[in-house]
Amino acid sequence: MKDVEALKKIAGVSACDYVQDGMILGLGTGSTVRYTILEIGRKIREEKLDIIGVPTSLQTKKLAESLHIPLIKIDEIGTVDLTIDGTDEFDDSFNLIKGGGGALTREKIVAKASKSMVVVADSTKYVKTLGSFPLPIEVDLEKWTDVEKKISNFCPNDIKLRGGKNNPFITDNGGVILDAHFGPTIIKPTELEERIVKINGVVEVGLFVGMCDAIVMASNEEVTTLTNPSGRLS
Ligand code: 5RP
């Protein structure tokens, strides 16, 4: 039986099959896509691939820089060829919950600018219904108590300020994260996303709907690529 770390590595490296010479590549954030980024660094070094990366967080930027991956900011280019990123949950419709690492806002900006998005995951990230993983919501530092009150009107369980009041987790954008414990109740993610982003003070919500084109999923038995039939890679 392989441990989760081994599965992350298999998924992360396997996703590089989608990487082609000359691409502008969105580089996601997290412990699974870290293996993708390490492999891209190797490809640039050993296979002389010409790749430019668009990092989705300061953490990823630092990693990519340490590997000498050339980088560009998203606002310096209009379009990204492909983004590879991790996820905290995915369902049968290729909808995702992201933001466990707190980078959801930039991850979504880069994913939206991408011609396609491939997600790397181990099989523990698959769920029938989204929501067991607390939904990350990035909020303006000055507005979180108000936003928390408004979301508590329709979130069935508790909402926690990540890091707590005394030591809140601060995002790369200077915001904070509310983790909303919806439980496995998110059957209409588009509606929930629209409802949450409308609240004054919300920067972004970690629901990624209609963005993921394929999932490279490692389980104990094998690596499976799930291709979204209505996606851009089918
Ligand atoms: C960061 C993310 C990550 O992609 C997500 O949390 C998955 O991370 P990991 O691969 O470490 O489980 O959304 O904001």
Side-chain angles (χ1 to χ4, degrees):
M1 181 133 165
K2 295 191 182 81
D3 63 17
V4 171
E5 201 57 35
L7 298 179
K8 286 181 183 197
K9 183 172 183 182
I10 295 168
V13 172
S14 301
C16 289
D17 290 351
Y18 283 96
V19 174
Q20 288 169 19
D21 194 22
M23 274 185 162
I24 295 182
L25 213 54
L27 304 174
T29 298
S31 57
T32 314
V33 78
R34 178 176 168 272
Y35 289 109
T36 309
I37 299 167
L38 291 174
E39 176 64 4
I40 289 164
R42 189 200 63 76
K43 279 176 175 286
I44 291 174
R45 204 170 54 246
E46 293 176 14
E47 298 173 19
K48 310 292 174 214
L49 247 62
D50 182 17
I51 299 288
I52 299 177
V54 183
T56 54
S57 63
L58 294 177
Q59 180 194 317
T60 291
K61 182 172 179 271
K62 277 188 199 148
L63 173 64
E65 281 170 350
S66 74
L67 297 165
H68 307 288
I69 299 175
L71 297 177
I72 193 163
K73 286 186 193 155
I74 189 65
D75 60 358
E76 292 176 79
I77 35 138
T79 314
V80 172
D81 293 307
L82 166 71
T83 286
I84 304 179
D85 204 346
T87 192
D88 296 301
E89 280 187 355
F90 67 92
D91 69 9
D92 288 315
S93 303
F94 293 80
N95 297 321
L96 316 172
I97 285 185
K98 285 184 52 52
L104 61 142
T105 301
R106 288 197 197 169
E107 288 173 336
K108 207 184 250 191
I109 289 169
V110 175
K112 278 184 181 171
S114 300
K115 290 182 196 161
S116 56
M117 181 187 194
V118 170
V119 162
V120 287
D122 61 81
S123 52
T124 63
K125 304 289 181 73
Y126 168 72
V127 293
K128 265 279 163 219
T129 307
L130 295 173
S132 295
F133 190 92
L135 180 63
I137 301 162
E138 181 162 355
V139 179
D140 186 282
L141 180 59
E142 304 292 316
K143 286 287 287 177
W144 74 265
T145 47
D146 191 38
V147 172
E148 182 191 24
K149 261 186 227 127
K150 292 201 168 114
I151 295 176
S152 67
N153 289 330
F154 55 90
C155 179
N157 305 301
D158 50 340
I159 301 163
K160 294 203 171 101
L161 177 68
R162 193 177 294 181
K165 277 183 201 169
N166 295 333
N167 188 26
F169 171 91
I170 303 292
T171 71
D172 291 349
N173 313 308
V176 293
I177 302 278
L178 291 175
D179 290 307
H181 292 240
F182 279 90
T185 62
I186 306 178
I187 44 177
K188 293 185 176 165
T190 308
E191 284 174 23
L192 184 62
E193 182 186 16
E194 281 169 7
R195 192 170 186 184
I196 294 173
V197 290
K198 259 194 236 155
I199 298 170
N200 187 15
V202 169
V203 178
E204 192 50 271
V205 56
L207 284 165
F208 285 54
V209 180
M211 290 185 189
C212 172
D213 300 294
I215 297 171
V216 179
M217 181 185 76
S219 66
N220 270 310
E221 296 77 36
E222 57 189 351
V223 181
T224 317
T225 298
L226 310 165
T227 307
N228 185 346
S230 43
R232 296 158 290 185
L233 294 171
S234 64

